[in-house]
Short mmCIF file of all heavy atoms in Angstrom, two decimals:
data_model
loop_
_atom_site.label_atom_id
_atom_site.label_comp_id
_atom_site.label_asym_id
_atom_site.label_seq_id
_atom_site.Cartn_x
_atom_site.Cartn_y
_atom_site.Cartn_z
N HIS A 173 54.01 31.00 26.67
CA HIS A 173 55.43 31.33 26.68
C HIS A 173 55.86 31.96 25.36
O HIS A 173 56.61 32.92 25.30
CB HIS A 173 56.24 30.08 26.96
CG HIS A 173 56.29 29.66 28.38
ND1 HIS A 173 55.40 28.71 28.92
CD2 HIS A 173 57.08 30.00 29.42
CE1 HIS A 173 55.66 28.56 30.20
NE2 HIS A 173 56.68 29.31 30.52
N VAL A 202 56.85 23.22 30.14
CA VAL A 202 56.32 22.46 31.29
C VAL A 202 57.28 22.54 32.48
O VAL A 202 56.86 22.74 33.62
CB VAL A 202 56.04 20.98 30.91
CG1 VAL A 202 55.73 20.14 32.13
CG2 VAL A 202 54.88 20.90 29.90
N LEU A 203 58.57 22.38 32.16
CA LEU A 203 59.57 22.44 33.26
C LEU A 203 59.54 23.80 33.95
O LEU A 203 59.66 23.90 35.18
CB LEU A 203 60.95 22.15 32.71
CG LEU A 203 62.11 22.26 33.74
CD1 LEU A 203 61.86 21.30 34.91
CD2 LEU A 203 63.44 21.93 33.06
N ASN A 204 59.38 24.88 33.15
CA ASN A 204 59.31 26.20 33.76
C ASN A 204 58.15 26.32 34.76
O ASN A 204 58.26 26.97 35.79
CB ASN A 204 59.17 27.26 32.64
CG ASN A 204 59.24 28.67 33.21
OD1 ASN A 204 60.08 28.98 34.03
ND2 ASN A 204 58.34 29.52 32.76
N LEU A 205 57.04 25.64 34.41
CA LEU A 205 55.89 25.67 35.30
C LEU A 205 56.04 24.72 36.48
O LEU A 205 55.26 24.75 37.43
CB LEU A 205 54.60 25.32 34.51
CG LEU A 205 54.26 26.31 33.40
CD1 LEU A 205 53.05 25.82 32.60
CD2 LEU A 205 53.98 27.72 33.93
N CYS A 206 57.04 23.85 36.42
CA CYS A 206 57.31 22.85 37.48
C CYS A 206 58.56 23.23 38.27
O CYS A 206 59.18 22.37 38.91
CB CYS A 206 57.44 21.45 36.91
SG CYS A 206 55.97 20.76 36.22
N ARG A 207 58.94 24.50 38.25
CA ARG A 207 60.23 24.89 38.83
C ARG A 207 60.32 24.57 40.32
O ARG A 207 61.41 24.28 40.84
CB ARG A 207 60.49 26.36 38.58
CG ARG A 207 59.51 27.28 39.30
CD ARG A 207 59.83 28.75 39.05
NE ARG A 207 59.62 29.06 37.65
CZ ARG A 207 59.93 30.24 37.11
NH1 ARG A 207 60.47 31.18 37.87
NH2 ARG A 207 59.72 30.49 35.86
N VAL A 208 59.17 24.62 41.03
CA VAL A 208 59.26 24.31 42.47
C VAL A 208 59.63 22.87 42.73
O VAL A 208 60.19 22.53 43.75
CB VAL A 208 57.92 24.65 43.20
CG1 VAL A 208 57.62 26.13 43.10
CG2 VAL A 208 56.78 23.80 42.69
N LYS A 209 59.35 21.99 41.75
CA LYS A 209 59.71 20.59 41.93
C LYS A 209 61.18 20.39 41.65
O LYS A 209 61.84 19.53 42.24
CB LYS A 209 58.85 19.70 40.99
CG LYS A 209 57.35 19.82 41.28
CD LYS A 209 57.02 19.38 42.70
CE LYS A 209 55.52 19.46 42.97
NZ LYS A 209 55.18 19.04 44.34
N LEU A 210 61.75 21.20 40.74
CA LEU A 210 63.21 21.16 40.56
C LEU A 210 63.89 21.74 41.78
O LEU A 210 64.97 21.28 42.17
CB LEU A 210 63.57 21.95 39.29
CG LEU A 210 65.06 21.96 38.91
CD1 LEU A 210 65.57 20.53 38.64
CD2 LEU A 210 65.29 22.83 37.68
N ARG A 211 63.29 22.76 42.39
CA ARG A 211 63.76 23.28 43.64
C ARG A 211 63.83 22.16 44.68
O ARG A 211 64.86 21.96 45.38
CB ARG A 211 62.82 24.40 44.12
CG ARG A 211 63.07 24.91 45.53
CD ARG A 211 61.81 25.54 46.13
NE ARG A 211 60.78 24.55 46.36
CZ ARG A 211 59.54 24.86 46.70
NH1 ARG A 211 59.13 26.13 46.77
NH2 ARG A 211 58.65 23.89 46.93
N ASP A 212 62.76 21.38 44.81
CA ASP A 212 62.69 20.33 45.82
C ASP A 212 63.66 19.19 45.53
O ASP A 212 64.16 18.55 46.43
CB ASP A 212 61.25 19.81 45.93
CG ASP A 212 60.31 20.80 46.55
OD1 ASP A 212 60.81 21.83 47.06
OD2 ASP A 212 59.09 20.59 46.50
N GLN A 214 66.66 19.53 44.47
CA GLN A 214 67.94 19.94 45.02
C GLN A 214 67.92 19.98 46.56
O GLN A 214 68.88 19.63 47.20
CB GLN A 214 68.32 21.33 44.44
CG GLN A 214 68.51 21.30 42.95
CD GLN A 214 68.59 22.67 42.33
OE1 GLN A 214 69.70 23.26 42.29
NE2 GLN A 214 67.48 23.23 41.89
#
Side-chain angles (χ1 to χ4, degrees):
H173 282 92
V202 171
L203 177 57
N204 186 44
L205 298 175
C206 292
R207 66 180 65 186
V208 298
K209 300 301 181 180
L210 183 59
R211 172 203 68 191
D212 291 348
Q214 297 169 86

